[in-house]
Structure formats: structure tokens, C-alpha cells
Amino acid sequence: MSNPLSRAIRIDQHGGSEELKLVQVAVGDPGPGEIRIRHHAVGLNFIDVYQRSGLYPFAMPLQLGMEAAGVVEAVGAGVTHLQAGDRAAYASNPPGAYCNVRVMPAKCVCKLPDAISFETGAAMMLKGLTAQYLLKKTLPQGGLQSGDFVLFHAAAGGVGLIACQWAKALGLHLIATAGSEEKCALALAHGAQHAINYRAEDFAARVKEITDGKGVKVVYDSVGKDTWDKSLDCLAPFGLMASFGNASGPVAPFAPGILGAKGSIYVTRQTLFTHIATRESTQAMADELFEVVGSGKVKIRIDQRYRLEDVQQAHKDLEARQTTGCTILTL
């Protein structure tokens, strides 16, 4: 087999977006359990910012990117669910998706249905699988039933807009928060029952008003530091605070006793990569995602496209909360 060259985005040290450098790398053949894939589009996610900044530290140098879609070029020994020529998409560790071609573990790579475009596949895997494990697997005591209230922060982002639509399909009453009236309108247009501009009003007070003082069964929070304390006040007794990100910074240490005082509530910190730790769980989750997208109940909104070489600007816009929906890098 030939060893192609690939353009890739790499950092040599943690830091700001200026650390993102376009380099050329040689790509070898896949080993056992691996594939080589040629990307058609790459997804951009906030976890990429965490890894670049050092909030999630990695050994250097580091090629960034957790999500992409393309065509399998070669498969290594032991890979049976994929073959050369397959359309495929993934959200996967280790990082490395910001490139034209890469060799990577096959475990989390799934065949992409013909009805779903490469751009949509690249935009939806990490964010869609995140929405799946939140709404279907990260549940309060007794689970969630049609008519239950849930609170979802950053609801106009990539994960949020998928969650708004999926929650509506499940019959849930999703209360969205976002940082502008425009973003609130976007969440409502995608299935949220209510939307709160947290820059203009006290979201905790508004949640209590919407729920007649009862609170919500679960809060899904990828914002972190800025929303944490008030989110706890939004929960009904025995409710669940589900943290899955730190866009505003990590949550400060807190005394467990406050959970009792606020209604014997539960706290969990979730990450996608625990849920997709096996080939079987990855495929089962992806099948649900492909089904809900294929049915039209969830539409993947791509609001920003950047060329691979413009990735510095993409990171700046993401960190400045200037983006909505999903963002992809084009190759």
C-alpha cells in the first residue's frame, strides 16, 4: 500500500487559537483493529478547544479533532464491520480528525447511511451521540416520561439544537437557555417548549415560574461555572444535575451537603467516550441517531463552514459564542 501525505492541523503546545498550525504529515497503513479514512468533512466541537487550551491536557505534539466523515481507504487485520470503499463517520478518541487522511481505531467508526451526506455525518456524530446518551441514558430517578420538564443550557448550539428536536420527539417539555433573543428563537424553532435569555433574566426564577414552582427533573449543562449554582436551584426534589461540559470554565469545588439541602438531588459528570467504549455500544447509539435523523424528526443544522486552513478563526468564533448549530471544516 502507498503512504499518502495529508494536510493536518497540529499544536506543539497548549495555548490560544494561534497555536493551531497547518502541517503536512505522512500517513501509513492501518494496523490490527485500525482503518485508514479519507475525510470529506470534519466536525468542530468545544472539546477541541478544551484540548487545545490545556483544560484537557495531552502530550505534544497533538493533532486535534474528534469527529469526521469520509470514505474508508484500507482496513487492518481484525476489522470486519468496515471495508475499503465504505462511506463512514465517527466520533472517536484519540484526537486527529483535523486532516485529509488518517489512520485510526476502527471501533467507533460506523457505516454512514447513503441518505446522510458527508457534511451532515461530520456535523452530527459527536453532537448527536451526546444528545442520545443525555436524553436516553442520563436519566433522573424513575426516568423521563412524556410531559416531563427538562432544562437544557446552550440550547442553540450543535448539541442543543439536536436535543431540542429529539426531546420534542420524545414528548418532553424542554426549557432552553441561550445568550441572545436570536438564539432563543432558534431553540424554539427547533422544538423547545420555552426559551430563556440568561443574559436578560434570572433563568432559575423563570424555570420555577414555568413549572409552577416544582422545578425540572433534570438539568443538562455544558456551560459549567457560570450556570452551575442556579441550575441546582432549578431541580425538583430527587432531580438530576447532568454536567457534560465546561464552556464557561470548570465548576468550582462544592460541599456535598448542599445537594441534600436543595432536595436530595443527584449530580453526575458525563462524557461521551465512556458511552462509546465498546464497538457494540457505539453502533447501538449510532443506529438510534441514524434512525431519528433519517426519519426527519431531527434535522442537522450546519450554520458555519470554514476551510481547514481557517481553523484559527473557527476556534475564535466558537469560543466567543458567535456560532449556532453545527460547525464543520471543509477540505
Side-chain angles (χ1 to χ4, degrees):
M1 293 183 182
S2 61
N3 292 336
L5 292 175
S6 174
R7 295 183 307 149
I9 300 297
R10 191 175 70 192
I11 61 172
D12 295 315
Q13 62 183 13
H14 292 298
S17 58
E18 70 279 358
E19 297 298 334
L20 297 162
K21 301 294 194 301
L22 182 65
V23 298
Q24 198 166 62
V25 296
V27 182
D29 295 331
E34 294 181 333
I35 64 162
R36 188 170 71 219
I37 184 168
R38 182 170 294 274
H39 295 147
H40 284 237
V42 176
L44 189 78
N45 295 282
F46 225 99
I47 192 172
D48 306 344
V49 173
Y50 301 155
Q51 293 172 354
R52 188 209 72 220
S53 69
L55 180 63
Y56 296 172
F58 277 80
M60 295 294 128
L62 175 66
Q63 188 172 309
L64 288 172
M66 309 294 289
E67 173 184 51
V71 175
V72 177
E73 285 193 338
V75 302
V79 176
T80 58
H81 68 288
L82 295 165
Q83 60 185 5
D86 282 346
R87 303 171 78 253
Y90 66 85
S92 178
N93 266 322
Y98 286 8
C99 64
N100 295 93
V101 186
R102 72 180 292 201
V103 169
M104 64 178 295
K107 179 179 67 175
C108 293
V109 183
C110 300
K111 283 187 181 180
L112 185 65
D114 290 340
I116 299 176
S117 72
F118 288 118
E119 286 198 350
T120 298
M124 79 177 192
M125 291 298 288
L126 191 144
K127 292 170 277 289
L129 292 175
T130 298
Q132 193 277 346
Y133 84 68
L134 291 173
L135 293 173
K136 304 298 286 293
K137 300 170 77 174
T138 309
L139 303 174
Q141 262 200 343
L144 289 172
Q145 286 80 42
S146 181
D148 284 342
F149 283 98
V150 303
L151 177 64
F152 207 102
H153 289 304
V159 176
L161 291 183
I162 294 172
C164 286
Q165 297 172 80
W166 209 329
K168 182 179 181 180
L170 293 171
L172 302 176
H173 292 175
L174 186 144
I175 304 171
T177 74
S180 71
E181 293 303 321
E182 293 77 14
K183 288 185 175 183
C184 284
L186 196 58
L188 290 169
H190 284 75
Q193 290 280 318
H194 305 270
I196 305 167
N197 180 350
Y198 62 79
R199 298 188 192 280
E201 58 182 324
D202 182 331
F203 73 78
R206 182 76 180 107
V207 165
K208 286 298 179 71
E209 182 182 327
I210 291 168
T211 61
D212 294 326
K214 296 176 182 177
V216 298
K217 280 195 171 183
V218 59
V219 176
Y220 295 113
D221 185 10
S222 63
V223 177
K225 178 172 65 70
D226 290 355
T227 50
W228 182 262
D229 291 335
K230 284 190 175 182
S231 290
L232 299 181
D233 293 331
C234 293
L235 286 165
F238 308 109
L240 175 65
M241 177 66 187
S243 171
F244 67 102
N246 321 276
S248 66
V251 174
F254 64 93
I258 69 171
L259 305 179
K262 291 181 182 295
S264 299
I265 59 178
Y266 295 79
V267 171
T268 182
R269 177 56 166 93
Q270 296 284 307
T271 178
L272 172 63
F273 300 104
T274 309
H275 290 275
I276 59 173
T278 68
R279 167 84 207 115
E280 293 74 21
S281 62
T282 302
Q283 191 63 57
M285 292 170 65
D287 286 345
E288 284 203 24
L289 176 60
F290 295 151
E291 190 280 328
V292 78
V293 171
S295 72
K297 293 176 183 176
V298 170
K299 294 180 172 61
I300 306 301
R301 182 182 175 115
I302 302 172
D303 285 346
Q304 296 80 214
R305 290 172 172 84
Y306 301 83
R307 297 180 304 165
L308 183 66
E309 52 266 41
D310 296 328
V311 68
Q312 288 189 6
Q313 188 62 49
H315 271 235
K316 289 175 185 175
D317 292 348
L318 189 63
E319 289 181 278
R321 303 191 191 183
Q322 298 298 309
T323 65
T324 55
C326 299
T327 301
I328 62 169
L329 301 175
T330 60
L331 302 167

